[in-house]
């Protein structure tokens, strides 16, 4: 009988190893409130470095990301990420993007916090309505974007550090972080402005002229599309119905404000509508926003016409108002002055006369490189802190679990366990047992599951020793044990390393779970055990039979013959997978 109780693939080993690492490398205080994101689509080369580790893994669909993970999207590649418990929060990262999951957890007040640091590249975000204490932020080296149910684009130029933010619908609270000179030296100051649909802002760390509101502009469609990958453009068009629906509600909000004598929705904003004409000009920009983006994508040859036509046709199916359907042949250009505060015109002119960033590109590149290096050092220190905290936590848990496990054994079982442990401790730490083995390791490996008893009574405890042999360059392993409904994992103990000689205790982590059979067709239970090194640790070799783990079990019925089936997949140091023989 096959051990697997569900479809199995080569990727499953990597999935469980990465999931295990992500769960065990969270600080203890955050473990119960941690959340996850999931990769729903990807193309090309996407690499993930799990929190606390130094080894990069190739990403794959349905892979989970947790707080502390770093992701890089290669050239001609893309990634679509979904926040696990907020399925309406979807982020599309363009090629050459790099980001860090800085915060994914539930707050003490019950809110869901989602924060990512975009180091370089661009991302299109579709964020569903936030409730109560929910937070959604994208942090960059020079600005922080806080969101309220929004479609928006953020671009970080890796050469100059200039951050561009474009809002398609909703509201983005943009807070700039700028360097200033004081009598005591250099310091930083922050300024905040609210961005509304069809508005953009570009920020860097240098002090600029005038208030931050004067830096808000109507979206430059050419720049937006030029900075966007085909996948980001596709996401914009695919979300056209949602964007237009949100913008309709926004226009109604402005109308009510105008009727009540107001002309701004919030004080810290650059959107002004003093008359019905102003409101009409803003509404015209919103109604033509997606159409202009689609037309410019065609002009810049970002998307082939036949594909663009299909995207528009599909998007128009969800747009009820015929007047709002996308038609690139009838689209009107955006009004570059619509909604801008006329009182800030002088400040905007002064900003235009500032020395262009690219004339001082070498200095900006130097400043940005230093900034990124500081960020990298912070990430490394954060990883070290996580690693040290979790190593101590893991050692304490292993010690406590082993004590609980030993308490379940009879005196003869304890003596046998200690004898095996003593014998194996004489082996070299890399798992080699000497040159006396007449059968050298094949590299493919052998796995066995050996019960400590051949028959048991109901309520009686026993153990299953998992033995490995003839393996080279072993970095991680996923084990499946299958057994009948009469036995199960002993809830009073836990899976423990039997010897510590196969895997380096200081540089490895483990995880396990028992899955109960739920139907007549799936009556057997399954125990899944995963262990892996992490960081810069070489794969180990096992030249003779050694104990990987001792699994504590307990019988729920009288059994005259304990039948346990085993299968395992292993990960080599180079990341390749292979099956072990039985």
């Amino acid at each position: 009988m096959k051990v697997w109780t569900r479809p199995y693939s080569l990727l499953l080993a990597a999935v469980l190893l990465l999931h295990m690492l992500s769960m065990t490398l969270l600080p203890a205080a955050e473990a119960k409130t941690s959340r996850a994101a999931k990769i729903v689509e990807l193309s090309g080369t996407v690499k993930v470095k799990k929190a606390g580790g130094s080894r990069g893994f190739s990403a794959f669909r349905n892979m989970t990301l947790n707080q502390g993970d770093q992701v890089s999207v290669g050239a001609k590649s893309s990634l679509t990420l979904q926040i696990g418990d907020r399925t309406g929060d979807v982020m599309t990262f363009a090629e050459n993007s790099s980001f860090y999951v800085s915060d994914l957890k539930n707050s003490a007040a019950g809110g869901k916090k989602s924060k990512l640091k975009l180091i370089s590249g661009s991302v299109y975000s579709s964020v569903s309505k936030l409730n109560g204490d929910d937070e959604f932020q994208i942090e960059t080296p020079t600005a922080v974007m806080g969101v309220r149910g929004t479609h928006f684009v953020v671009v970080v130029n890796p050469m100059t550090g200039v951050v561009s933010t474009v809002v398609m619908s909703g509201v983005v609270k943009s807070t700039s972080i700028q360097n200033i000179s004081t009598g005591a030296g250099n310091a930083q100051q922050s300024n905040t402005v609210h961005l509304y649909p069809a508005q953009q802002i570009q920020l860097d760390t240098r002090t600029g002229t005038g208030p931050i509101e004067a830096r808000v502009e109507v979206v430059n469609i050419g720049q937006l599309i030029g900075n966007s990958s085909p996948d980001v453009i596709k996401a914009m068009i695919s979300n056209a119905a949602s964007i237009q629906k949100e913008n309709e509600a926004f226009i109604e909000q402005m109308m009510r404000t105008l009727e009540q004598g107001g002309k701004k929705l919030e004080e810290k904003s650059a959107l002004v509508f003093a008359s019905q004409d102003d409101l009409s000009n803003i509404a015209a920009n919103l109604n033509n926003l997606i159409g202009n983006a689609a037309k410019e994508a065609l002009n810049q040859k970002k998307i082939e016409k036949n594909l663009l036509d299909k995207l528009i046709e599909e998007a128009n199916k969800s747009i009820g108002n015929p007047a709002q359907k996308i038609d690139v042949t009838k689209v009107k250009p955006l009004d570059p002055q619509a909604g801008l505060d006329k009182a800030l015109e002088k400040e905007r002119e002064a900003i235009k006369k500032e020395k262009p960033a690219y004339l001082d590109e070498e200095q900006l590149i130097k400043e940005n490189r230093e900034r990124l290096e500081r960020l990298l050092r912070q990430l490394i220190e954060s990883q070290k802190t996580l690693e040290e905290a979790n190593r101590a936590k893991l050692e304490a848990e292993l010690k406590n679990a082993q004590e609980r496990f030993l308490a379940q054994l009879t005196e003869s079982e304890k003596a046998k366990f200690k004898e095996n442990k003593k014998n194996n401790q004489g082996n070299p730490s890399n798992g080699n047992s000497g040159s006396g083995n007449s059968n050298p390791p094949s590299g493919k490996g052998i796995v066995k599951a050996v019960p400590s008893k051949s028959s048991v009574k109901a309520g009686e405890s026993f153990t299953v020793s998992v033995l490995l042999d003839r393996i080279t360059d072993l970095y991680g392993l996923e084990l499946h044990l299958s057994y009948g409904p009469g036995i199960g994992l002993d809830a009073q103990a836990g899976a423990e390393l039997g010897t510590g000689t196969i895997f380096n205790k200081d540089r490895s982590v483990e995880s396990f779970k028992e899955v109960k059979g739920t139907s007549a067709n799936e009556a057997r239970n399954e125990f899944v055990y995963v262990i892996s090194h992490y960081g810069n640790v070489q794969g180990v070799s096992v030249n003779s039979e050694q104990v990987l783990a001792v699994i504590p079990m307990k019988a729920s019925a009288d059994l005259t013959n304990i039948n346990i089936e085993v299968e395992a997949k292993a990960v080599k140091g180079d990341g390749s997978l292979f099956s072990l023989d039985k």
Side-chain angles (χ1 to χ4, degrees):
M1 175 178 176
K2 293 293 290 180
V3 171
W4 317 123
T5 59
R6 56 194 59 80
Y8 183 80
S9 69
L10 289 177
L11 286 178
L12 183 56
V15 172
L16 288 177
L17 284 170
L18 292 172
H19 176 69
M20 173 271 296
L21 283 171
S22 67
M23 291 303 294
T24 55
L25 290 175
L26 284 173
E30 303 293 349
K32 293 184 179 179
T33 58
S34 63
R35 298 162 58 229
K38 181 175 72 172
I39 295 175
V40 293
E41 294 289 343
L42 79 166
S43 64
T45 303
V46 180
K47 294 290 186 180
V48 176
K49 188 180 294 184
K50 302 302 289 184
S54 59
R55 183 183 294 266
F57 296 87
S58 294
F60 46 86
R61 186 177 298 180
N62 293 326
M63 180 179 181
T64 57
L65 299 180
N66 300 88
Q67 183 174 318
D69 292 352
Q70 300 176 58
V71 182
S72 59
V73 183
K76 299 181 179 180
S77 305
S78 68
L79 170 70
T80 302
L81 193 66
Q82 181 185 77
I83 305 301
D85 53 1
R86 284 181 52 85
T87 56
D89 296 354
V90 180
M91 310 174 74
T92 302
F93 292 87
E95 63 177 338
N96 300 318
S97 294
S98 177
F99 67 94
Y100 170 73
V101 183
S102 55
D103 200 348
L104 272 180
K105 63 184 179 182
N106 295 315
S107 66
K112 300 181 184 299
K113 292 187 177 182
S114 308
K115 298 181 182 180
L116 284 83
K117 289 185 179 180
L118 182 64
I119 299 172
S120 63
S122 60
V123 58
Y124 171 85
S125 299
S126 172
V127 183
S128 57
K129 183 178 180 181
L130 301 177
N131 300 312
D133 294 310
D134 290 354
E135 292 183 43
F136 187 101
Q137 286 187 356
I138 293 183
E139 305 173 38
T140 72
T142 61
V144 177
M145 273 58 69
V147 176
R148 308 177 199 166
T150 307
H151 295 265
F152 69 111
V153 179
V154 179
V155 180
V156 178
N157 186 318
M159 297 297 291
T160 64
V162 174
V163 176
S164 302
T165 305
V166 176
V167 180
M168 309 299 287
S169 67
V171 186
V172 172
K173 181 181 178 182
S174 178
T175 302
S176 70
I177 304 170
Q178 295 181 317
N179 296 326
I180 59 173
S181 297
T182 65
N186 292 328
Q188 289 187 331
Q189 69 175 11
S190 61
N191 294 285
T192 298
V193 64
H194 290 89
L195 300 177
Y196 293 96
Q199 290 189 330
Q200 71 176 31
I201 192 170
Q202 297 188 67
L203 299 168
D204 58 45
T205 56
R206 299 174 305 163
T207 303
T209 303
I212 190 173
E213 292 88 346
R215 295 184 175 274
V216 178
E217 309 169 281
V218 170
V219 172
N220 184 317
I221 293 294
Q223 287 182 1
L224 171 63
I225 299 303
N227 288 330
S228 299
S229 70
D231 293 283
V232 167
I233 298 169
K234 291 175 188 175
M236 290 182 199
I237 298 173
S238 298
N239 282 283
S242 175
I243 291 171
Q244 292 191 1
K245 183 178 180 180
E246 197 169 355
N247 284 341
E248 283 181 8
F250 176 66
I251 293 171
E252 292 176 0
Q253 182 185 7
M254 288 189 293
M255 290 178 64
R256 290 193 298 269
T257 302
L258 184 62
E259 290 170 356
Q260 295 169 5
K263 63 178 183 178
K264 295 181 75 173
L265 296 178
E266 299 189 57
E267 185 61 31
K268 292 294 291 183
S269 76
L271 183 72
V272 177
F273 41 93
S275 67
Q276 186 61 47
D277 286 343
D278 289 344
L279 197 57
S280 297
N281 292 336
I282 295 171
N285 274 4
L286 301 189
N287 291 333
N288 285 279
L289 182 58
I290 298 297
N292 273 281
K295 183 178 181 179
E296 187 62 24
L298 188 61
N299 292 340
Q300 293 190 23
K301 299 181 179 179
K302 285 296 187 85
I303 299 180
E304 294 182 1
K305 187 177 185 305
N306 60 342
L307 177 56
L308 182 64
D309 290 342
K310 290 180 181 179
L311 288 170
I312 293 174
E313 180 183 2
E314 192 63 30
N316 282 337
K317 291 179 181 179
S318 301
I319 300 175
N321 188 345
Q324 292 185 342
K325 291 184 181 291
I326 304 170
D327 187 344
V328 296
T329 65
K330 297 180 180 179
V331 69
K332 296 180 180 179
L334 301 187
D335 180 351
Q337 299 299 320
L340 296 184
D341 191 346
K342 294 181 176 60
L344 296 175
E345 186 60 34
K346 289 184 179 180
E347 285 82 356
R348 282 196 290 271
E349 289 299 321
I351 289 172
K352 291 178 182 179
K353 294 177 182 179
E354 287 180 358
K355 186 178 181 181
Y358 298 105
L359 295 182
D360 197 17
E361 185 171 321
E362 290 186 1
Q363 181 61 28
L364 277 176
I365 291 173
K366 179 181 178 182
E367 292 176 1
N368 192 50
R369 184 183 295 115
E370 292 173 351
R371 186 163 54 253
L372 292 177
E373 288 175 352
R374 286 197 300 271
L375 178 60
L376 181 60
R377 287 196 295 270
Q378 291 172 1
L379 295 180
I380 292 173
E381 289 302 316
S382 176
Q383 289 175 348
K384 287 181 178 178
T385 301
L386 285 173
E387 186 177 312
E388 292 298 326
N390 284 283
R391 179 185 300 161
K393 179 172 176 280
L394 181 60
E395 288 177 351
E397 290 177 350
L398 289 174
K399 181 179 179 181
N400 291 336
Q402 181 169 319
E403 290 175 352
R404 293 196 305 271
F405 166 62
L406 289 173
Q408 302 295 314
L409 301 181
T410 64
E411 291 302 320
S412 61
E413 287 173 334
K414 287 181 182 179
K416 184 176 180 181
F417 176 84
K418 292 178 180 179
E419 181 181 356
N420 287 339
K421 185 173 182 179
K422 181 179 179 180
N423 291 337
N424 280 296
Q425 283 176 339
N427 295 331
S429 61
N430 66 355
N432 297 328
S433 60
S435 59
N437 181 19
S438 60
N439 296 313
S442 65
K444 188 173 183 181
I446 296 174
V447 60
K448 296 180 182 178
V450 182
S452 61
K453 300 178 181 180
S454 58
S455 62
V456 290
K457 298 290 186 180
E460 188 175 356
S461 297
F462 65 100
T463 63
V464 176
S465 296
V466 179
L467 308 177
L468 300 184
D469 193 4
R470 305 184 188 182
I471 303 177
T472 59
D473 194 22
L474 176 64
Y475 190 83
L477 183 137
E478 173 194 345
L479 172 81
H480 287 242
L481 300 181
S482 175
Y483 37 87
I487 57 176
L489 183 66
D490 191 340
Q492 300 301 316
E496 294 301 318
L497 287 177
T499 65
T501 61
I502 295 180
F503 283 86
N504 185 327
K505 285 186 176 180
D506 292 333
R507 301 293 291 178
S508 64
V509 285
E510 62 180 347
S511 181
F512 62 90
K513 183 177 182 180
E514 185 179 43
V515 182
K516 296 288 188 179
T518 56
S519 67
N521 295 328
E522 194 179 15
R524 290 178 71 82
N525 300 326
E526 184 176 348
F527 176 81
V528 183
Y529 176 77
V530 184
I531 185 167
S532 175
H533 282 127
Y534 64 90
N536 294 319
V537 178
Q538 297 295 321
V540 298
S541 296
V542 180
N543 292 343
S544 64
E545 199 170 83
Q546 293 188 45
V547 178
L548 169 73
V550 179
I551 316 298
M553 310 294 284
K554 194 170 187 177
S556 58
D558 292 348
L559 298 174
T560 58
N561 181 32
I562 298 177
N563 178 24
I564 296 179
E565 298 182 17
V566 59
E567 287 196 18
K569 295 279 185 178
V571 181
K572 285 194 172 186
D574 61 5
S576 61
L577 301 174
F578 62 97
S579 300
L580 276 67
D581 291 332
K582 294 180 286 183

